[in-house]
Amino acid sequence: MSFVTHLQCPKCGVKYELAANPIFCETDGCEARIDVHYDYTRLKEVISKKVLKKRPLSVWSYFELLPINDRSNIITLGEGGTPLLRSQRLAEHLGLRELYIKDETRNPTWSFKDRPITVGVSKAKEHRATTLASASSGNAAAALAAYCARAGFSCYCFVPDSAPMGKIAQLLLYGAKVVRLRGLHKGDDPTVKLLREACKSYGWTPCPSFGPFNPYQAEGPKTLAYEIIEQLNWNVPDVAYVQVGAGGLLGGQWRGFTDFNTLGLVEKCPRMLAVQAAGCAPLVQAFHTDQDPFKIIPCDSPHSVAEGLCDPLPWDGDLALGAVRESKGSAIAVDDDAILHAQKLLAKYEGIFAEPTGVTGLAGLIDQLESGAQDPSEVILIEATGGGLKDQDVVIQRVTMPPVIDPDLQQLQNALKLQN
Ligand SMILES: *Cc1c(COP(=O)(O)O)cnc(C)c1O
C-alpha cells in the first residue's frame, strides 16, 4: 500500500493515477516531469521520529515516502545509509565553525545515483518491465547497469563519446549494452535523443536520472535529505552546497527537506546553493537572468573536468531553480581549476577521494568564502557524490610518478625531495 495520492504535471497540470504507471507527461508537446504527490495527513500517522529512529539508515527505510506499492518489488544493493562526517581539518583550513560532508562515494556503485536508480528499477519490476535504458555520462548508467544485473533485467546505456574508459568498462562488466554517441553540442544531447527514439520504438523503459523521462527514480534523492536530518539529530544545516548537472540531486533533496518540514520533523529548511561548472552553467544563467523555469536556455558547448555535470539542458532545472529561489539560496559557477583544487583539498584534509563532478559543491563553497558571501559561522553541508577511482585519468594527468630507487637512505632522501 502506498501513500501516493496522484501524479501531476507541474507544467500543464494534468493528473495521473499511480496505477496507470505514467512515465512521460502525455499532453502533446508538454515533455515535463510528472511529480509524485503524497497524502501527508496519513503519512503523519505512520512517520515519526520514534518510528524512524528504530530503522537502520538507508534509502528503503523511507518506504512510505517512495512510490512503490509492494516491498517485494524492491531491488536493492544496500544503497544509502552513508556517513555524515563532521569535518575537522578541512573546516579548520577554510576557517569554518561547523562543516559536514555527506560521503556518497560509499554507495554500491560509488555515486549517489544509486538512490534514484534503486527506486526506478524497483518501480519497473512492479510494472513487469524487464528492459531498461539510460542516457548518461556515466554514473547514472553505471547504477542502472548494476541494478539491472541484480534484477536480471536487460540494460541499454547511451553514453557520450567523452565518457572515460573506466566508466564504460564498468558498464560492460555489469552486462549492459553500451552505445557511444558523438557530438554533445547545441543543447541537443544525442544520447537523450536516441534514448527517446529507441524507447518509443522498442518499448523499453527509460530510466536515466532525469525526471521528465522517469518520475519514480526522481524520488530517490529525497532520501539523502532525510538521512542528513536524522544524522544531524533532527536538525538541518543552514546552507547546502550542491553540484548541479540535470538538477535532480538538488531538486530531489529540496523535496526531502520540505517533506520532513511538512511532517513536522524539522522546523526549517536549508538555503540551497546550486553549483555548476563554468563550462556548463545553464541553471546559474537562468537564476541570474530570471528565466522561466520551464524555458531554461541550454548550454551550447558543455565542457568541464566535472564531466558528470555536462548536461546541456538541466532536465530538472525547474525543480532545482524553484528550490534555489524558494530557499533564498543562490547559484554559482566555478572553473575547472577551482574544482580540481577542491578535489585535492577533500582528499588531503579529510581522506575522501571524490571525482571532480562530486566535489564541485565544495569548490562553490570556497568561492563564496573568498568573496565574503558565505558567513563562516553557519552550519554548512557539502556532499561528495561520486568516488575518485571512477575518473582516475584526471588525477593521473596532474601528478608526477615518483622515481624508482634502490634501498638506500641517500636515494630515499633525494626521492622524497622531489615530492615537496
Ligand atoms: C549526476 C551527478 C551529479 C549531478 O546530479 P544531477 O541530478 O544531474 O544534477 C553530481 N555528482 C555526481 C557524482 C553525479 O554522478
Side-chain angles (χ1 to χ4, degrees):
M1 189 185 63
S2 102
F3 289 78
V4 174
T5 53
H6 63 283
L7 285 81
Q8 187 167 21
C9 172
K11 191 172 164 194
C12 72
V14 166
K15 287 187 180 181
Y16 302 87
E17 295 289 322
L18 181 64
N21 190 36
I23 300 283
F24 295 102
C25 179
E26 280 147 28
T27 304
D28 247 359
C30 180
E31 294 186 356
R33 177 194 58 258
I34 32 186
D35 292 331
V36 186
H37 294 266
Y38 297 82
D39 184 340
Y40 289 101
T41 314
R42 272 180 57 225
L43 275 170
K44 268 186 189 166
E45 290 163 12
V46 295
I47 294 288
S48 66
K49 291 183 191 178
K50 205 171 143 206
V51 166
L52 292 178
K53 268 184 196 161
K54 284 195 197 131
R55 301 180 183 177
L57 210 62
S58 92
V59 168
W60 292 104
S61 291
Y62 308 102
F63 180 77
E64 293 89 343
L65 291 143
L66 295 169
I68 308 291
N69 288 313
D70 187 343
R71 282 179 195 271
S72 69
N73 292 319
I74 293 173
I75 306 290
T76 179
L77 284 164
E79 53 291 324
T82 58
L84 182 74
L85 300 163
R86 170 101 190 243
S87 162
Q88 300 298 335
R89 296 189 65 228
L90 183 59
E92 198 178 305
H93 176 76
L94 298 174
L96 298 175
R97 191 175 60 85
E98 207 170 336
L99 173 67
Y100 292 92
I101 308 160
K102 182 72 167 161
D103 186 4
E104 286 288 289
T105 68
R106 304 198 206 184
N107 277 300
T109 73
W110 308 284
S111 92
F112 90 93
K113 292 287 196 313
D114 294 332
R115 293 181 190 267
I117 297 304
T118 184
V119 179
V121 174
S122 300
K123 192 66 196 171
K125 177 160 190 234
E126 196 151 272
H127 282 275
R128 300 193 167 76
T130 56
T131 303
L132 280 72
S134 177
S136 157
S137 55
N139 289 341
L144 186 66
Y147 284 81
C148 281
R150 177 87 171 151
F153 295 166
S154 303
C155 179
Y156 292 85
C157 300
F158 300 99
V159 307
D161 53 2
S162 60
M165 188 55 207
K167 292 192 178 186
I168 291 171
Q170 188 188 358
L171 300 178
L172 293 171
L173 225 65
Y174 286 136
K177 304 240 181 346
V178 179
V179 184
R180 293 174 70 214
L181 285 140
R182 69 174 66 86
L184 187 65
H185 60 84
K186 293 266 173 275
D188 185 26
D189 189 333
T191 61
V192 174
K193 183 167 184 271
L194 198 56
L195 169 78
R196 201 195 301 261
E197 285 173 16
C199 286
K200 212 185 258 174
S201 297
Y202 309 137
W204 301 343
T205 300
C207 193
S209 63
F210 314 141
F213 291 79
N214 187 310
Y216 309 106
Q217 60 76 29
E219 295 290 280
K222 293 195 305 191
T223 60
L224 246 168
Y226 302 155
E227 288 184 10
I228 290 162
I229 287 171
E230 288 205 52
Q231 288 170 311
L232 289 174
N233 197 22
W234 311 98
N235 283 301
V236 295
D238 293 316
V239 54
Y241 283 84
V242 183
Q243 37 274 20
V244 170
L249 170 65
L250 187 144
Q253 279 185 82
W254 175 244
R255 279 183 176 163
F257 285 121
T258 55
D259 273 355
F260 269 22
N261 186 239
T262 306
L263 291 171
L265 301 173
V266 286
E267 270 154 30
K268 55 172 201 152
C269 293
R271 295 198 313 284
M272 303 301 283
L273 264 283
V275 188
Q276 291 204 288
C280 183
L283 192 94
V284 178
Q285 282 286 328
F287 177 74
H288 292 287
T289 57
D290 240 350
Q291 290 172 25
D292 177 337
F294 292 108
K295 290 181 191 149
I296 295 176
I297 301 165
C299 172
D300 263 356
S301 52
H303 57 92
S304 170
V305 277
E307 199 247 329
L309 301 181
C310 286
D311 298 275
L313 179 68
W315 290 101
D316 291 296
D318 62 311
L319 191 61
L321 196 56
V324 170
R325 285 178 178 159
E326 232 178 282
S327 71
K328 304 200 165 34
S330 188
I332 46 188
V334 288
D335 64 24
D336 282 0
D337 284 344
I339 294 169
L340 292 168
H341 179 62
Q343 181 186 33
K344 199 167 170 180
L345 290 185
L346 192 64
K348 184 172 150 180
Y349 287 108
E350 298 294 346
I352 299 172
F353 183 30
E355 65 179 324
T357 299
V359 298
T360 301
L362 170 58
L365 165 60
I366 295 169
D367 176 273
Q368 294 293 284
L369 284 167
E370 282 171 356
S371 71
Q374 174 62 54
D375 171 359
S377 70
E378 284 194 313
V379 180
I380 300 171
L381 170 75
I382 57 167
E383 298 164 352
T385 47
L389 292 178
K390 287 195 163 239
D391 193 358
Q392 292 192 65
D393 294 352
V394 68
V395 185
I396 291 167
Q397 282 162 20
R398 280 167 184 81
V399 294
T400 6
M401 191 65 156
V404 177
I405 60 165
D406 299 311
D408 170 276
L409 284 180
Q410 190 55 51
Q411 288 191 39
L412 170 66
Q413 283 188 15
N414 290 341
L416 292 180
K417 253 185 234 155
L418 290 172
Q419 285 179 53
N420 278 339

